[in-house]
Amino acid sequence: MNEENLNQEVELTEEEVNKLIKVRIEKLEELQNNGKDPFQIVKFDNKDNSKDIKEKFVDPVEGEETEPVEVTIAGRLMAKRGHGKASFCDLQDMYGRIQIYVKMDEVGAESYEEFKKYDVGDIIGIKGTVFKTHMGEISIKVKEIILLSKSLRPLPEKYHGLKDMDLRYRQRYVDLIMNNDVKETFFKRSAIIKGIRSYLDERGYLEVDTPILNTIAGGAAARPFITHHNTLDIDMYLRIAPELYLKRLIVGGFHKVYEMGRLFRNEGMDIKHNPEFTTIELYSAYEDYHDMMDITEGMISTLAKDICGDTKIDYQGTMIDLTPGWKRISMIDAIKEVTGADFNNANTDEEAIALAKSIGVEVEGTPVRGHVINLVFEEKVEETLIQPTFIIDYPIEISPLTKKKPSDPRLVERFELFIGGREYANAYSELNDPIDQKERFMMQMAEREAGNEEANMIDDDFVQSLEYGMPPTGGLGIGVDRLIMLLTNSYSIRDVLLFPTMKPLA
């Protein structure tokens, strides 16, 4: 079967694909029998790339002779056009595509006959000179060409590609070959991560590493993944947050620290959640949650300008204005603003439950006042927060690691950032009272024993660290994957993870 004669607008059947694989294997065997096995090649001097070649090209001045620019480049053969003694092809490398012109008179008859047997998808290396065609396309006239790796499986044809999103996530390697915009998303991901580090480094923060395997799952309300350490014969947990270790470093005398890395939570999967994901957590001594709001606003608005070119961005059809000066409002006032219900007037658990029911929020069981307020917020308010908004002053019952608000001990100095109806950041004025912290851990353990698997465990060593004294501290956590979704206009978290978690195929 000759691939070049196939109708490229028709999606190949499995039988046709298998026939093409057979033909390609036969071509490989022929090469190997002739002592030209491409898989025996270990290196190629790939000193140029498609992007630089195009950007550095200079049109010769009419009437003047210029020395041709010689280049060496490698990449994947993505298209072949022409027959006979000359062909135009598309070569794709990490940075894009560039046209190449292969002519028998330039490469030699033997090399050209070998080239004619190359398939779309093969990895090739070329040496040649740069020129511009009559159509104005910057191209490379090939002087030497070599097959570096044989593609045994044909690529999806260009009109259909990988349309099955599940298959695109499973076969990200093919997705990256066929879809340049997908590759661009991950270039931006890298730039965003570098930008976060640069922003914090310039402000005196120290990047650190803390354990991923923990003996206690702490620092957040989440269900952990559990594993077993054979030598110690103990269960261990993949970390759900680095918080408690980072605050130990503040106790130890570091003033500003941050860690960016993977967290693991054994929870549901949807367009916003993956079992493993990337966050940035930072802590600054002698600061509070107001300072954390300032650094959050500054960092995200700076990233928007650097990555998107503007603080006004389009996310899934909605214009988001990330210009500094974001709204700051308490959780209770936000609920009142949306529903009219004022939980400042609900002083008991029973009054809070009754007020929630009066605005159509069903409350199961007999939760405490703070949990009721949070439930109402999640059901009635969260989805209305389209422009960046700091929701501040959370109920103490849902914030076991946070300093109480001096003016109302039922609340804590905590905020979450919402954009487009989603949470992006969580921050506290950190609790540094060891006695209060111990009591809050005991309350969390009571919830855990009552069946709440996400409640915090008691970390006695962390309490002991606080007994040595931790200065007033502001702490912040940002969901890096969600931030990347926002700044790359990606619908699902799977679109910004190179290899998202997938259910194994049967």
Side-chain angles (χ1 to χ4, degrees):
M1 178 178 289
N2 188 337
E3 292 187 44
E4 294 186 23
N5 293 331
L6 289 174
N7 183 345
Q8 290 296 294
E9 295 191 31
V10 177
E11 194 166 7
L12 301 179
T13 66
E14 184 177 353
E15 182 181 0
E16 288 171 329
V17 169
N18 289 335
K19 287 181 179 179
L20 292 176
I21 291 174
K22 183 175 182 295
V23 171
R24 290 187 177 206
I25 291 175
E26 290 171 353
K27 289 181 180 181
L28 173 63
E29 290 172 346
E30 181 182 350
L31 287 167
Q32 292 170 332
N33 291 335
N34 292 331
K36 295 184 177 182
D37 186 352
F39 297 125
Q40 294 297 314
I41 297 173
V42 297
K43 185 177 180 179
F44 182 80
D45 185 18
N46 183 31
K47 63 182 182 179
D48 298 301
N49 66 70
S50 60
K51 183 172 181 285
D52 285 347
I53 291 171
K54 291 178 180 179
E55 289 179 350
K56 293 177 181 178
F57 179 79
V58 178
D59 270 318
V61 177
E62 188 174 349
E64 291 186 10
E65 289 191 12
T66 57
E67 193 71 23
V69 176
E70 295 188 351
V71 294
T72 303
I73 184 174
R76 190 180 297 275
L77 190 61
M78 294 300 293
K80 294 175 70 177
R81 299 177 293 279
H83 299 282
K85 297 181 179 181
S87 299
F88 281 99
C89 308
D90 291 339
L91 181 73
Q92 178 172 293
D93 66 2
M94 181 174 176
Y95 301 98
R97 291 192 185 189
I98 191 164
Q99 182 171 261
I100 66 173
Y101 178 55
V102 187
K103 189 177 181 182
M104 180 187 294
D105 292 348
E106 296 287 345
V107 300
E110 182 180 348
S111 183
Y112 191 78
E113 285 304 311
E114 291 176 357
F115 158 74
K116 286 173 64 176
K117 296 179 181 178
Y118 292 176
D119 294 302
V120 169
D122 286 351
I123 309 293
I124 62 173
I126 66 169
K127 293 182 180 180
T129 56
V130 186
F131 74 105
K132 183 182 281 189
T133 67
H134 295 300
M135 299 297 292
E137 184 168 356
I138 297 170
S139 307
I140 302 171
K141 182 183 292 183
V142 178
K143 303 294 184 182
E144 298 178 32
I145 186 167
I146 184 173
L147 182 63
L148 300 173
S149 181
K150 185 66 185 169
S151 173
L152 299 183
R153 181 175 292 273
L155 295 171
E157 47 75 31
K158 60 184 178 181
Y159 293 96
H160 293 87
L162 281 178
K163 287 191 173 182
D164 184 333
M165 290 305 299
D166 184 82
L167 190 59
R168 287 178 62 181
Y169 298 139
R170 291 182 188 278
Q171 296 183 8
R172 180 68 83 189
Y173 42 92
V174 182
D175 196 24
L176 290 167
I177 293 169
M178 302 303 296
N179 298 307
N180 189 61
D181 56 338
V182 173
K183 190 180 293 181
E184 185 62 30
T185 293
F186 292 102
F187 278 126
K188 288 182 178 180
R189 179 186 178 99
S190 179
I192 291 166
I193 289 172
K194 288 178 182 177
I196 292 171
R197 285 195 166 99
S198 176
Y199 191 89
L200 294 175
D201 292 345
E202 290 171 0
R203 286 156 180 77
Y205 282 82
L206 176 71
E207 184 172 12
V208 298
D209 296 299
T210 64
I212 291 177
L213 277 177
N214 297 167
T215 55
I216 294 172
R223 186 176 178 181
F225 285 96
I226 304 172
T227 187
H228 189 80
H229 192 292
N230 293 332
T231 301
L232 297 177
D233 194 25
I234 59 171
D235 283 344
M236 299 190 77
Y237 306 89
L238 291 178
R239 69 177 177 190
I240 57 175
E243 177 171 343
L244 302 186
Y245 282 109
L246 293 174
K247 288 199 280 193
R248 284 174 171 92
L249 298 180
I250 299 294
V251 171
F254 290 114
H255 286 183
K256 293 176 180 285
V257 296
Y258 75 91
E259 181 171 13
M260 184 153 36
R262 287 291 216 219
L263 302 186
F264 307 85
R265 297 183 181 178
N266 197 355
E267 299 171 343
M269 296 169 59
D270 55 32
I271 62 169
K272 298 181 293 183
H273 298 91
N274 193 70
E276 58 174 308
F277 56 98
T278 301
T279 67
I280 171 83
E281 285 204 19
L282 59 95
Y283 294 84
S284 180
Y286 311 109
E287 295 189 340
D288 66 3
Y289 74 144
H290 293 289
D291 298 294
M292 296 298 103
M293 282 185 247
D294 292 340
I295 200 166
T296 303
E297 187 174 283
M299 180 192 298
I300 294 177
S301 61
T302 298
L303 288 170
K305 284 185 287 187
D306 291 346
I307 302 301
C308 306
D310 198 342
T311 54
K312 296 180 177 66
I313 64 172
D314 174 18
Y315 182 71
Q316 300 295 301
T318 299
M319 291 306 298
I320 304 292
D321 188 354
L322 298 172
T323 307
W326 300 351
K327 183 177 181 179
R328 304 180 182 191
I329 185 172
S330 73
M331 178 179 280
I332 287 176
D333 286 345
I335 292 173
K336 183 178 179 181
E337 193 174 87
V338 173
T339 69
D342 189 353
F343 279 86
N344 284 311
N345 299 325
N347 296 310
T348 66
D349 299 343
E350 292 75 18
E351 289 173 348
I353 292 171
L355 184 56
K357 290 183 177 179
S358 73
I359 56 174
V361 177
E362 289 300 317
V363 180
E364 296 181 1
T366 55
V368 296
R369 175 179 179 272
H371 283 289
V372 175
I373 293 172
N374 187 57
L375 177 64
V376 172
F377 171 77
E378 290 179 344
E379 289 198 13
K380 293 292 186 177
V381 181
E382 196 168 309
E383 66 182 11
T384 71
L385 303 174
I386 304 304
Q387 299 306 318
T389 304
F390 291 114
I391 297 296
I392 66 174
D393 302 342
Y394 278 54
I396 191 171
E397 294 90 344
I398 61 170
S399 310
L401 301 168
T402 315
K403 187 168 285 191
K404 293 176 183 176
K405 194 169 179 63
S407 60
D408 188 345
R410 298 177 301 178
L411 304 177
V412 294
E413 293 198 339
R414 172 186 177 186
F415 77 75
E416 287 184 309
L417 169 64
F418 290 87
I419 305 172
R422 293 177 179 175
E423 177 217 335
Y424 283 82
N426 185 21
Y428 313 147
S429 294
E430 301 295 338
L431 179 60
N432 61 345
D433 179 344
I435 297 172
D436 190 356
Q437 182 65 82
K438 180 76 171 189
E439 291 173 353
R440 305 241 203 129
F441 275 149
M442 296 298 291
M443 291 170 58
Q444 287 286 299
M445 278 305 295
E447 286 195 29
R448 194 172 186 85
E449 290 167 0
N452 183 0
E453 294 181 343
E454 295 186 354
N456 280 242
M457 300 178 182
I458 296 176
D459 190 333
D460 290 318
D461 182 75
F462 175 66
V463 175
Q464 179 175 289
S465 75
L466 294 182
E467 291 172 350
Y468 284 96
M470 185 176 86
T473 299
L476 166 67
I478 297 175
V480 173
D481 300 314
R482 288 192 187 179
L483 181 57
I484 293 169
M485 288 169 62
L486 179 70
L487 297 179
T488 60
N489 195 17
S490 298
Y491 173 72
S492 169
I493 192 171
R494 292 182 174 187
D495 296 328
V496 300
L497 298 176
L498 280 168
F499 300 102
T501 303
M502 305 292 292
K503 184 178 180 180
L505 295 172

